[in-house]
Short mmCIF file of all heavy atoms in Angstrom, two decimals:
data_model
loop_
_atom_site.label_atom_id
_atom_site.label_comp_id
_atom_site.label_asym_id
_atom_site.label_seq_id
_atom_site.Cartn_x
_atom_site.Cartn_y
_atom_site.Cartn_z
N MET A 1 37.87 -22.21 -26.05
CA MET A 1 39.15 -22.89 -25.94
C MET A 1 39.75 -22.59 -24.57
O MET A 1 39.58 -21.51 -24.03
CB MET A 1 40.10 -22.42 -27.04
CG MET A 1 41.44 -23.14 -26.97
SD MET A 1 42.62 -22.68 -28.23
CE MET A 1 43.31 -21.22 -27.49
N GLY A 2 40.45 -23.56 -24.04
CA GLY A 2 41.16 -23.39 -22.78
C GLY A 2 42.48 -24.12 -22.84
O GLY A 2 42.80 -24.80 -23.83
N LYS A 3 43.25 -24.00 -21.80
CA LYS A 3 44.53 -24.70 -21.72
C LYS A 3 44.56 -25.53 -20.45
O LYS A 3 44.06 -25.11 -19.41
CB LYS A 3 45.70 -23.73 -21.74
CG LYS A 3 45.89 -23.10 -23.11
CD LYS A 3 47.27 -22.54 -23.25
CE LYS A 3 47.43 -22.08 -24.68
NZ LYS A 3 48.73 -22.34 -25.20
N LEU A 4 45.15 -26.72 -20.55
CA LEU A 4 45.27 -27.62 -19.42
C LEU A 4 46.65 -28.26 -19.50
O LEU A 4 46.95 -28.96 -20.47
CB LEU A 4 44.17 -28.69 -19.49
CG LEU A 4 44.23 -29.79 -18.44
CD1 LEU A 4 43.96 -29.22 -17.05
CD2 LEU A 4 43.22 -30.87 -18.77
N ASN A 5 47.48 -28.00 -18.52
CA ASN A 5 48.84 -28.55 -18.51
C ASN A 5 49.59 -28.28 -19.82
O ASN A 5 50.26 -29.14 -20.36
CB ASN A 5 48.84 -30.04 -18.22
CG ASN A 5 48.28 -30.36 -16.85
OD1 ASN A 5 48.49 -29.61 -15.90
ND2 ASN A 5 47.56 -31.45 -16.74
N GLY A 6 49.41 -27.07 -20.35
CA GLY A 6 50.11 -26.69 -21.58
C GLY A 6 49.47 -27.17 -22.86
O GLY A 6 49.96 -26.92 -23.94
N GLN A 7 48.35 -27.89 -22.76
CA GLN A 7 47.65 -28.41 -23.93
C GLN A 7 46.40 -27.59 -24.20
O GLN A 7 45.72 -27.16 -23.27
CB GLN A 7 47.24 -29.88 -23.72
CG GLN A 7 48.38 -30.80 -23.44
CD GLN A 7 49.28 -30.96 -24.65
OE1 GLN A 7 48.81 -31.14 -25.76
NE2 GLN A 7 50.58 -30.90 -24.43
N GLU A 8 46.08 -27.36 -25.47
CA GLU A 8 44.85 -26.68 -25.83
C GLU A 8 43.68 -27.65 -25.73
O GLU A 8 43.78 -28.80 -26.15
CB GLU A 8 44.92 -26.12 -27.25
CG GLU A 8 45.87 -24.98 -27.39
CD GLU A 8 45.87 -24.39 -28.79
OE1 GLU A 8 45.11 -24.87 -29.66
OE2 GLU A 8 46.64 -23.46 -29.01
N VAL A 9 42.57 -27.19 -25.17
CA VAL A 9 41.35 -27.98 -25.08
C VAL A 9 40.26 -27.21 -25.82
O VAL A 9 39.98 -26.06 -25.49
CB VAL A 9 40.92 -28.22 -23.61
CG1 VAL A 9 39.62 -28.99 -23.55
CG2 VAL A 9 42.02 -28.93 -22.85
N LYS A 10 39.69 -27.85 -26.84
CA LYS A 10 38.65 -27.20 -27.65
C LYS A 10 37.44 -28.11 -27.71
O LYS A 10 37.57 -29.33 -27.77
CB LYS A 10 39.14 -26.97 -29.08
CG LYS A 10 40.37 -26.12 -29.18
CD LYS A 10 40.82 -26.05 -30.63
CE LYS A 10 42.15 -25.33 -30.73
NZ LYS A 10 42.66 -25.33 -32.12
N ILE A 11 36.27 -27.51 -27.73
CA ILE A 11 35.03 -28.25 -27.94
C ILE A 11 34.44 -27.74 -29.25
O ILE A 11 34.36 -26.53 -29.47
CB ILE A 11 34.03 -28.05 -26.79
CG1 ILE A 11 34.60 -28.67 -25.52
CG2 ILE A 11 32.69 -28.67 -27.14
CD1 ILE A 11 33.72 -28.51 -24.30
N ALA A 12 34.06 -28.67 -30.12
CA ALA A 12 33.52 -28.28 -31.42
C ALA A 12 32.30 -29.12 -31.74
O ALA A 12 32.20 -30.28 -31.34
CB ALA A 12 34.58 -28.48 -32.50
N ARG A 13 31.40 -28.53 -32.45
CA ARG A 13 30.23 -29.25 -32.98
C ARG A 13 30.50 -29.44 -34.47
O ARG A 13 30.76 -28.48 -35.18
CB ARG A 13 28.96 -28.44 -32.76
CG ARG A 13 27.75 -29.09 -33.40
CD ARG A 13 26.51 -28.31 -33.11
NE ARG A 13 26.01 -28.83 -31.83
CZ ARG A 13 24.95 -28.36 -31.23
NH1 ARG A 13 24.30 -27.34 -31.73
NH2 ARG A 13 24.54 -28.90 -30.10
N LEU A 14 30.43 -30.68 -34.90
CA LEU A 14 30.72 -30.98 -36.30
C LEU A 14 29.47 -31.45 -37.02
O LEU A 14 28.65 -32.17 -36.46
CB LEU A 14 31.77 -32.10 -36.40
CG LEU A 14 33.13 -31.85 -35.77
CD1 LEU A 14 34.00 -33.08 -35.90
CD2 LEU A 14 33.82 -30.66 -36.40
N LYS A 15 29.35 -31.04 -38.28
CA LYS A 15 28.31 -31.55 -39.15
C LYS A 15 28.88 -31.57 -40.56
O LYS A 15 29.39 -30.57 -41.04
CB LYS A 15 27.06 -30.69 -39.10
CG LYS A 15 25.93 -31.28 -39.91
CD LYS A 15 24.63 -30.57 -39.70
CE LYS A 15 23.56 -31.31 -40.51
NZ LYS A 15 22.26 -30.71 -40.30
N GLY A 16 28.82 -32.73 -41.18
CA GLY A 16 29.35 -32.87 -42.52
C GLY A 16 30.80 -33.31 -42.49
O GLY A 16 31.31 -33.84 -41.50
N GLU A 17 31.48 -33.08 -43.62
CA GLU A 17 32.87 -33.49 -43.77
C GLU A 17 33.81 -32.33 -43.51
O GLU A 17 33.60 -31.24 -44.03
CB GLU A 17 33.11 -34.01 -45.20
CG GLU A 17 32.28 -35.21 -45.56
CD GLU A 17 32.46 -35.62 -47.01
OE1 GLU A 17 33.09 -34.89 -47.79
OE2 GLU A 17 31.96 -36.68 -47.37
N PHE A 18 34.81 -32.55 -42.71
CA PHE A 18 35.88 -31.58 -42.51
C PHE A 18 36.92 -31.85 -43.59
O PHE A 18 36.84 -32.85 -44.30
CB PHE A 18 36.48 -31.75 -41.10
CG PHE A 18 37.25 -30.55 -40.62
CD1 PHE A 18 36.60 -29.36 -40.35
CD2 PHE A 18 38.61 -30.63 -40.41
CE1 PHE A 18 37.30 -28.26 -39.89
CE2 PHE A 18 39.32 -29.54 -39.96
CZ PHE A 18 38.67 -28.35 -39.69
N VAL A 19 37.90 -30.99 -43.74
CA VAL A 19 38.93 -31.18 -44.76
C VAL A 19 39.98 -32.19 -44.29
O VAL A 19 40.21 -32.36 -43.09
CB VAL A 19 39.62 -29.84 -45.11
CG1 VAL A 19 38.63 -28.87 -45.72
CG2 VAL A 19 40.30 -29.25 -43.89
N TRP A 20 40.61 -32.89 -45.25
CA TRP A 20 41.75 -33.74 -44.92
C TRP A 20 42.86 -32.84 -44.42
O TRP A 20 43.15 -31.80 -45.03
CB TRP A 20 42.23 -34.49 -46.18
CG TRP A 20 41.43 -35.72 -46.46
CD1 TRP A 20 40.40 -35.83 -47.34
CD2 TRP A 20 41.60 -37.00 -45.86
NE1 TRP A 20 39.90 -37.11 -47.32
CE2 TRP A 20 40.63 -37.85 -46.42
CE3 TRP A 20 42.48 -37.52 -44.90
CZ2 TRP A 20 40.51 -39.19 -46.07
CZ3 TRP A 20 42.36 -38.85 -44.55
CH2 TRP A 20 41.38 -39.67 -45.13
N HIS A 21 43.48 -33.23 -43.31
CA HIS A 21 44.57 -32.42 -42.77
C HIS A 21 45.44 -33.28 -41.85
O HIS A 21 45.11 -34.42 -41.55
CB HIS A 21 44.03 -31.20 -42.02
CG HIS A 21 43.27 -31.54 -40.78
ND1 HIS A 21 42.00 -32.09 -40.78
CD2 HIS A 21 43.61 -31.41 -39.47
CE1 HIS A 21 41.60 -32.28 -39.54
NE2 HIS A 21 42.56 -31.89 -38.72
N LYS A 22 46.54 -32.71 -41.40
CA LYS A 22 47.41 -33.35 -40.41
C LYS A 22 48.06 -32.27 -39.58
O LYS A 22 48.08 -31.10 -39.96
CB LYS A 22 48.46 -34.25 -41.08
CG LYS A 22 49.44 -33.50 -41.92
CD LYS A 22 50.43 -34.44 -42.56
CE LYS A 22 51.36 -33.64 -43.44
NZ LYS A 22 52.74 -33.98 -43.25
N HIS A 23 48.57 -32.66 -38.44
CA HIS A 23 49.26 -31.73 -37.54
C HIS A 23 50.68 -32.25 -37.38
O HIS A 23 50.89 -33.38 -36.93
CB HIS A 23 48.55 -31.67 -36.18
CG HIS A 23 47.11 -31.26 -36.31
ND1 HIS A 23 46.71 -29.95 -36.39
CD2 HIS A 23 45.98 -32.01 -36.43
CE1 HIS A 23 45.39 -29.90 -36.52
NE2 HIS A 23 44.93 -31.15 -36.55
N ASP A 24 51.63 -31.44 -37.76
CA ASP A 24 53.03 -31.88 -37.75
C ASP A 24 53.66 -31.87 -36.36
O ASP A 24 54.61 -32.59 -36.11
CB ASP A 24 53.87 -31.00 -38.68
CG ASP A 24 53.50 -31.20 -40.14
OD1 ASP A 24 53.15 -32.34 -40.51
OD2 ASP A 24 53.57 -30.23 -40.90
N GLU A 25 53.10 -31.08 -35.44
CA GLU A 25 53.75 -30.89 -34.14
C GLU A 25 53.00 -31.48 -32.95
O GLU A 25 53.56 -31.53 -31.86
CB GLU A 25 53.97 -29.39 -33.90
CG GLU A 25 54.80 -28.70 -34.96
CD GLU A 25 56.22 -29.26 -35.05
OE1 GLU A 25 56.79 -29.58 -34.00
OE2 GLU A 25 56.74 -29.38 -36.17
N GLU A 26 51.73 -31.86 -33.13
CA GLU A 26 50.98 -32.33 -31.97
C GLU A 26 50.00 -33.44 -32.34
O GLU A 26 49.54 -33.52 -33.47
CB GLU A 26 50.21 -31.18 -31.31
CG GLU A 26 49.14 -30.55 -32.15
CD GLU A 26 49.62 -29.46 -33.09
OE1 GLU A 26 50.60 -28.79 -32.79
OE2 GLU A 26 48.97 -29.29 -34.14
N ASP A 27 49.73 -34.30 -31.36
CA ASP A 27 48.67 -35.29 -31.48
C ASP A 27 47.33 -34.56 -31.33
O ASP A 27 47.27 -33.45 -30.82
CB ASP A 27 48.78 -36.35 -30.38
CG ASP A 27 50.09 -37.12 -30.41
OD1 ASP A 27 50.70 -37.23 -31.48
OD2 ASP A 27 50.49 -37.63 -29.34
N GLU A 28 46.25 -35.21 -31.76
CA GLU A 28 44.92 -34.61 -31.63
C GLU A 28 43.97 -35.67 -31.09
O GLU A 28 43.95 -36.80 -31.56
CB GLU A 28 44.45 -34.10 -32.99
CG GLU A 28 43.21 -33.26 -32.92
CD GLU A 28 42.89 -32.58 -34.24
OE1 GLU A 28 43.23 -33.11 -35.31
OE2 GLU A 28 42.28 -31.51 -34.19
N MET A 29 43.18 -35.28 -30.07
CA MET A 29 42.23 -36.20 -29.46
C MET A 29 40.82 -35.76 -29.79
O MET A 29 40.50 -34.58 -29.73
CB MET A 29 42.40 -36.22 -27.95
CG MET A 29 41.46 -37.18 -27.26
SD MET A 29 41.65 -37.11 -25.47
CE MET A 29 39.95 -37.00 -24.97
N PHE A 30 39.98 -36.73 -30.16
CA PHE A 30 38.57 -36.49 -30.43
C PHE A 30 37.76 -37.33 -29.45
O PHE A 30 37.91 -38.55 -29.40
CB PHE A 30 38.21 -36.90 -31.86
CG PHE A 30 38.83 -36.04 -32.92
CD1 PHE A 30 40.12 -36.30 -33.36
CD2 PHE A 30 38.14 -34.98 -33.46
CE1 PHE A 30 40.71 -35.52 -34.33
CE2 PHE A 30 38.72 -34.18 -34.44
CZ PHE A 30 40.01 -34.46 -34.88
N LEU A 31 36.89 -36.69 -28.68
CA LEU A 31 35.99 -37.34 -27.73
C LEU A 31 34.56 -37.05 -28.18
O LEU A 31 34.19 -35.88 -28.35
CB LEU A 31 36.20 -36.82 -26.31
CG LEU A 31 35.15 -37.19 -25.27
CD1 LEU A 31 35.13 -38.70 -25.04
CD2 LEU A 31 35.41 -36.44 -23.97
N VAL A 32 33.77 -38.09 -28.39
CA VAL A 32 32.39 -37.90 -28.83
C VAL A 32 31.50 -37.76 -27.60
O VAL A 32 31.38 -38.68 -26.79
CB VAL A 32 31.92 -39.10 -29.70
CG1 VAL A 32 30.47 -38.91 -30.12
CG2 VAL A 32 32.83 -39.25 -30.91
N ILE A 33 30.89 -36.59 -27.46
CA ILE A 33 30.00 -36.32 -26.32
C ILE A 33 28.59 -36.79 -26.64
O ILE A 33 27.92 -37.38 -25.81
CB ILE A 33 30.03 -34.82 -25.97
CG1 ILE A 33 31.44 -34.45 -25.50
CG2 ILE A 33 28.98 -34.48 -24.91
CD1 ILE A 33 31.66 -32.98 -25.30
N SER A 34 28.14 -36.55 -27.86
CA SER A 34 26.84 -37.07 -28.30
C SER A 34 26.90 -37.31 -29.80
O SER A 34 27.67 -36.68 -30.52
CB SER A 34 25.69 -36.12 -27.93
OG SER A 34 25.78 -34.93 -28.68
N GLY A 35 26.08 -38.24 -30.25
CA GLY A 35 26.06 -38.55 -31.67
C GLY A 35 27.12 -39.57 -32.05
O GLY A 35 27.52 -40.40 -31.24
N GLN A 36 27.56 -39.46 -33.29
CA GLN A 36 28.55 -40.40 -33.82
C GLN A 36 29.53 -39.63 -34.70
O GLN A 36 29.16 -38.68 -35.38
CB GLN A 36 27.85 -41.47 -34.66
CG GLN A 36 28.75 -42.59 -35.12
CD GLN A 36 28.00 -43.64 -35.90
OE1 GLN A 36 27.61 -43.40 -37.05
NE2 GLN A 36 27.74 -44.79 -35.27
N LEU A 37 30.78 -40.05 -34.69
CA LEU A 37 31.83 -39.42 -35.50
C LEU A 37 32.55 -40.50 -36.29
O LEU A 37 32.90 -41.54 -35.74
CB LEU A 37 32.84 -38.69 -34.60
CG LEU A 37 34.03 -38.04 -35.31
CD1 LEU A 37 33.57 -36.84 -36.13
CD2 LEU A 37 35.08 -37.61 -34.30
N LYS A 38 32.72 -40.24 -37.56
CA LYS A 38 33.55 -41.12 -38.39
C LYS A 38 34.89 -40.41 -38.58
O LYS A 38 34.92 -39.22 -38.94
CB LYS A 38 32.89 -41.37 -39.74
CG LYS A 38 31.61 -42.16 -39.63
CD LYS A 38 30.95 -42.31 -40.98
CE LYS A 38 29.60 -42.99 -40.79
NZ LYS A 38 28.76 -42.86 -41.96
N MET A 39 35.96 -41.12 -38.33
CA MET A 39 37.30 -40.56 -38.53
C MET A 39 37.93 -41.30 -39.70
O MET A 39 38.28 -42.47 -39.61
CB MET A 39 38.15 -40.73 -37.27
CG MET A 39 39.51 -40.10 -37.38
SD MET A 39 39.46 -38.32 -37.68
CE MET A 39 38.74 -37.74 -36.15
N GLU A 40 38.05 -40.60 -40.82
CA GLU A 40 38.64 -41.21 -41.99
C GLU A 40 40.16 -41.07 -41.92
O GLU A 40 40.68 -39.97 -41.70
CB GLU A 40 38.10 -40.56 -43.26
CG GLU A 40 36.62 -40.81 -43.46
CD GLU A 40 36.07 -40.21 -44.73
OE1 GLU A 40 36.79 -39.47 -45.44
OE2 GLU A 40 34.89 -40.48 -45.04
N LEU A 41 40.83 -42.20 -42.07
CA LEU A 41 42.28 -42.25 -42.15
C LEU A 41 42.63 -42.74 -43.55
O LEU A 41 41.76 -43.15 -44.30
CB LEU A 41 42.84 -43.17 -41.07
CG LEU A 41 42.40 -42.84 -39.64
CD1 LEU A 41 42.83 -43.95 -38.69
CD2 LEU A 41 42.98 -41.51 -39.19
N GLU A 42 43.91 -42.72 -43.89
CA GLU A 42 44.29 -43.13 -45.24
C GLU A 42 43.90 -44.57 -45.56
O GLU A 42 43.53 -44.87 -46.69
CB GLU A 42 45.79 -42.95 -45.44
CG GLU A 42 46.21 -41.48 -45.48
CD GLU A 42 47.69 -41.32 -45.68
OE1 GLU A 42 48.48 -41.93 -44.93
OE2 GLU A 42 48.06 -40.56 -46.60
N ASP A 43 43.93 -45.46 -44.57
CA ASP A 43 43.72 -46.88 -44.84
C ASP A 43 42.48 -47.48 -44.19
O ASP A 43 42.18 -48.66 -44.37
CB ASP A 43 44.94 -47.68 -44.40
CG ASP A 43 45.24 -47.54 -42.91
OD1 ASP A 43 44.73 -46.60 -42.28
OD2 ASP A 43 45.99 -48.37 -42.38
N LYS A 44 41.73 -46.66 -43.42
CA LYS A 44 40.53 -47.19 -42.77
C LYS A 44 39.68 -46.04 -42.25
O LYS A 44 40.11 -44.89 -42.22
CB LYS A 44 40.90 -48.12 -41.61
CG LYS A 44 41.67 -47.45 -40.49
CD LYS A 44 42.08 -48.47 -39.44
CE LYS A 44 43.06 -47.85 -38.46
NZ LYS A 44 43.55 -48.83 -37.49
N THR A 45 38.47 -46.38 -41.84
CA THR A 45 37.56 -45.42 -41.21
C THR A 45 37.16 -45.94 -39.85
O THR A 45 36.70 -47.08 -39.73
CB THR A 45 36.30 -45.20 -42.08
OG1 THR A 45 36.69 -44.69 -43.36
CG2 THR A 45 35.33 -44.23 -41.41
N LEU A 46 37.35 -45.12 -38.83
CA LEU A 46 36.95 -45.47 -37.47
C LEU A 46 35.58 -44.87 -37.21
O LEU A 46 35.30 -43.74 -37.61
CB LEU A 46 37.95 -44.91 -36.46
CG LEU A 46 39.42 -45.29 -36.66
CD1 LEU A 46 40.29 -44.52 -35.69
CD2 LEU A 46 39.60 -46.78 -36.51
N VAL A 47 34.72 -45.61 -36.52
CA VAL A 47 33.39 -45.11 -36.15
C VAL A 47 33.35 -45.00 -34.64
O VAL A 47 33.51 -46.00 -33.93
CB VAL A 47 32.27 -46.04 -36.67
CG1 VAL A 47 30.91 -45.50 -36.24
CG2 VAL A 47 32.35 -46.17 -38.19
N LEU A 48 33.15 -43.78 -34.16
CA LEU A 48 33.13 -43.51 -32.72
C LEU A 48 31.72 -43.13 -32.29
O LEU A 48 31.08 -42.27 -32.88
CB LEU A 48 34.07 -42.36 -32.37
CG LEU A 48 35.53 -42.53 -32.82
CD1 LEU A 48 36.28 -41.24 -32.62
CD2 LEU A 48 36.18 -43.66 -32.07
N ASP A 49 31.24 -43.79 -31.23
CA ASP A 49 29.94 -43.48 -30.65
C ASP A 49 30.12 -42.67 -29.37
O ASP A 49 31.25 -42.45 -28.92
CB ASP A 49 29.19 -44.79 -30.35
CG ASP A 49 28.81 -45.52 -31.63
OD1 ASP A 49 28.28 -44.87 -32.55
OD2 ASP A 49 29.06 -46.74 -31.72
N GLU A 50 29.01 -42.25 -28.79
CA GLU A 50 29.04 -41.45 -27.56
C GLU A 50 29.93 -42.09 -26.51
O GLU A 50 29.85 -43.30 -26.27
CB GLU A 50 27.63 -41.28 -27.00
CG GLU A 50 26.76 -40.40 -27.84
CD GLU A 50 25.37 -40.22 -27.25
OE1 GLU A 50 25.20 -40.39 -26.03
OE2 GLU A 50 24.46 -39.88 -28.02
N GLY A 51 30.80 -41.28 -25.91
CA GLY A 51 31.67 -41.75 -24.84
C GLY A 51 32.98 -42.34 -25.33
O GLY A 51 33.86 -42.64 -24.53
N GLU A 52 33.14 -42.51 -26.63
CA GLU A 52 34.38 -43.07 -27.18
C GLU A 52 35.30 -41.96 -27.65
O GLU A 52 34.85 -40.87 -27.99
CB GLU A 52 34.07 -44.04 -28.33
CG GLU A 52 33.27 -45.25 -27.89
CD GLU A 52 32.99 -46.21 -29.02
OE1 GLU A 52 32.71 -45.77 -30.15
OE2 GLU A 52 33.04 -47.43 -28.74
N PHE A 53 36.59 -42.26 -27.69
CA PHE A 53 37.54 -41.27 -28.18
C PHE A 53 38.65 -41.95 -28.96
O PHE A 53 38.85 -43.15 -28.90
CB PHE A 53 38.13 -40.44 -27.02
CG PHE A 53 39.09 -41.19 -26.15
CD1 PHE A 53 40.46 -41.12 -26.38
CD2 PHE A 53 38.65 -41.96 -25.08
CE1 PHE A 53 41.36 -41.80 -25.57
CE2 PHE A 53 39.53 -42.64 -24.26
CZ PHE A 53 40.90 -42.56 -24.51
N VAL A 54 39.36 -41.13 -29.73
CA VAL A 54 40.52 -41.60 -30.49
C VAL A 54 41.59 -40.52 -30.42
O VAL A 54 41.27 -39.32 -30.35
CB VAL A 54 40.14 -41.91 -31.96
CG1 VAL A 54 39.72 -40.67 -32.72
CG2 VAL A 54 41.30 -42.57 -32.69
N ILE A 55 42.83 -40.95 -30.41
CA ILE A 55 43.96 -40.02 -30.47
C ILE A 55 44.63 -40.23 -31.83
O ILE A 55 45.03 -41.34 -32.16
CB ILE A 55 44.94 -40.25 -29.32
CG1 ILE A 55 44.25 -39.97 -28.00
CG2 ILE A 55 46.19 -39.37 -29.50
CD1 ILE A 55 45.05 -40.31 -26.77
N ILE A 56 44.71 -39.16 -32.58
CA ILE A 56 45.36 -39.20 -33.89
C ILE A 56 46.80 -38.72 -33.70
O ILE A 56 47.02 -37.57 -33.31
CB ILE A 56 44.61 -38.29 -34.90
CG1 ILE A 56 43.13 -38.66 -34.99
CG2 ILE A 56 45.29 -38.36 -36.27
CD1 ILE A 56 42.83 -40.05 -35.47
N PRO A 57 47.78 -39.58 -33.96
CA PRO A 57 49.18 -39.19 -33.76
C PRO A 57 49.59 -38.07 -34.72
O PRO A 57 49.08 -37.99 -35.85
CB PRO A 57 49.96 -40.47 -34.06
CG PRO A 57 48.98 -41.57 -33.93
CD PRO A 57 47.66 -40.98 -34.34
N LYS A 58 50.51 -37.23 -34.27
CA LYS A 58 50.99 -36.14 -35.13
C LYS A 58 51.50 -36.71 -36.45
O LYS A 58 52.01 -37.83 -36.51
CB LYS A 58 52.08 -35.34 -34.42
CG LYS A 58 53.34 -36.09 -34.13
CD LYS A 58 54.31 -35.20 -33.39
CE LYS A 58 55.56 -35.99 -33.00
NZ LYS A 58 56.48 -35.17 -32.23
N GLY A 59 51.28 -35.94 -37.51
CA GLY A 59 51.72 -36.36 -38.82
C GLY A 59 50.79 -37.30 -39.56
O GLY A 59 51.06 -37.68 -40.69
N THR A 60 49.67 -37.68 -38.93
CA THR A 60 48.72 -38.63 -39.54
C THR A 60 47.61 -37.87 -40.27
O THR A 60 46.82 -37.17 -39.63
CB THR A 60 48.10 -39.54 -38.46
OG1 THR A 60 49.13 -40.21 -37.76
CG2 THR A 60 47.14 -40.54 -39.07
N PRO A 61 47.49 -38.03 -41.59
CA PRO A 61 46.38 -37.40 -42.30
C PRO A 61 45.05 -38.00 -41.84
O PRO A 61 44.92 -39.22 -41.68
CB PRO A 61 46.65 -37.75 -43.77
CG PRO A 61 48.11 -38.06 -43.84
CD PRO A 61 48.44 -38.69 -42.50
N HIS A 62 44.06 -37.13 -41.62
CA HIS A 62 42.75 -37.58 -41.16
C HIS A 62 41.68 -36.59 -41.56
O HIS A 62 41.97 -35.44 -41.89
CB HIS A 62 42.75 -37.78 -39.63
CG HIS A 62 43.08 -36.55 -38.87
ND1 HIS A 62 44.36 -36.03 -38.77
CD2 HIS A 62 42.30 -35.70 -38.15
CE1 HIS A 62 44.36 -34.95 -38.03
NE2 HIS A 62 43.11 -34.73 -37.65
N ARG A 63 40.42 -37.09 -41.56
CA ARG A 63 39.28 -36.23 -41.85
C ARG A 63 38.10 -36.65 -41.00
O ARG A 63 37.57 -37.74 -41.14
CB ARG A 63 38.90 -36.33 -43.34
CG ARG A 63 37.67 -35.49 -43.67
CD ARG A 63 37.42 -35.40 -45.13
NE ARG A 63 36.89 -36.64 -45.66
CZ ARG A 63 36.26 -36.72 -46.83
NH1 ARG A 63 36.11 -35.65 -47.59
NH2 ARG A 63 35.80 -37.88 -47.25
N PRO A 64 37.66 -35.79 -40.09
CA PRO A 64 36.46 -36.07 -39.30
C PRO A 64 35.20 -35.87 -40.15
O PRO A 64 35.13 -34.92 -40.94
CB PRO A 64 36.50 -35.02 -38.18
CG PRO A 64 37.86 -34.40 -38.24
CD PRO A 64 38.35 -34.59 -39.62
N VAL A 65 34.24 -36.77 -39.98
CA VAL A 65 32.96 -36.68 -40.68
C VAL A 65 31.85 -36.95 -39.68
O VAL A 65 31.88 -37.94 -38.96
CB VAL A 65 32.87 -37.72 -41.82
CG1 VAL A 65 31.53 -37.66 -42.51
CG2 VAL A 65 34.02 -37.54 -42.82
N ALA A 66 30.87 -36.04 -39.63
CA ALA A 66 29.71 -36.23 -38.74
C ALA A 66 28.45 -36.06 -39.58
O ALA A 66 28.22 -35.00 -40.15
CB ALA A 66 29.74 -35.22 -37.60
N ASP A 67 27.66 -37.12 -39.66
CA ASP A 67 26.41 -37.07 -40.43
C ASP A 67 25.37 -36.37 -39.58
O ASP A 67 24.62 -35.61 -39.89
CB ASP A 67 25.93 -38.46 -40.82
CG ASP A 67 26.92 -39.16 -41.74
OD1 ASP A 67 27.58 -38.48 -42.54
OD2 ASP A 67 27.03 -40.39 -41.64
#
């Protein structure tokens, strides 16, 4: 983990389903470096491929899934 302009920067490797959660105080950005990520939201599922990213606004329930 590092910090950039007051923001935390983390790199994670995901496999399987993460838990449903939300962040009340901050937005969260997911950038796919390799592979594919499914971002489950309450009303839809986003599919992100390599080089794509999504910003999840604070307060939004979401669950990352990586097969």
Side-chain angles (χ1 to χ4, degrees):
M1 181 179 83
K3 289 200 174 218
L4 175 67
N5 297 325
Q7 301 293 315
E8 290 183 1
V9 178
K10 301 176 187 176
I11 295 179
R13 175 177 273 178
L14 301 177
K15 185 171 183 178
E17 299 175 351
F18 199 67
V19 297
W20 278 97
H21 67 287
K22 65 181 178 134
H23 302 276
D24 292 326
E25 302 297 323
E26 64 274 332
D27 299 334
E28 190 170 29
M29 181 182 132
F30 292 85
L31 168 65
V32 179
I33 296 172
S34 68
Q36 187 178 73
L37 177 69
K38 294 176 186 165
M39 183 60 66
E40 295 182 353
L41 305 171
E42 291 180 309
D43 60 343
K44 62 184 170 184
T45 299
L46 305 173
V47 179
L48 305 170
D49 293 313
E50 290 182 23
E52 297 181 321
F53 72 95
V54 65
I55 297 173
I56 305 298
K58 65 182 176 183
T60 303
H62 59 285
R63 177 171 74 162
V65 178
D67 297 327

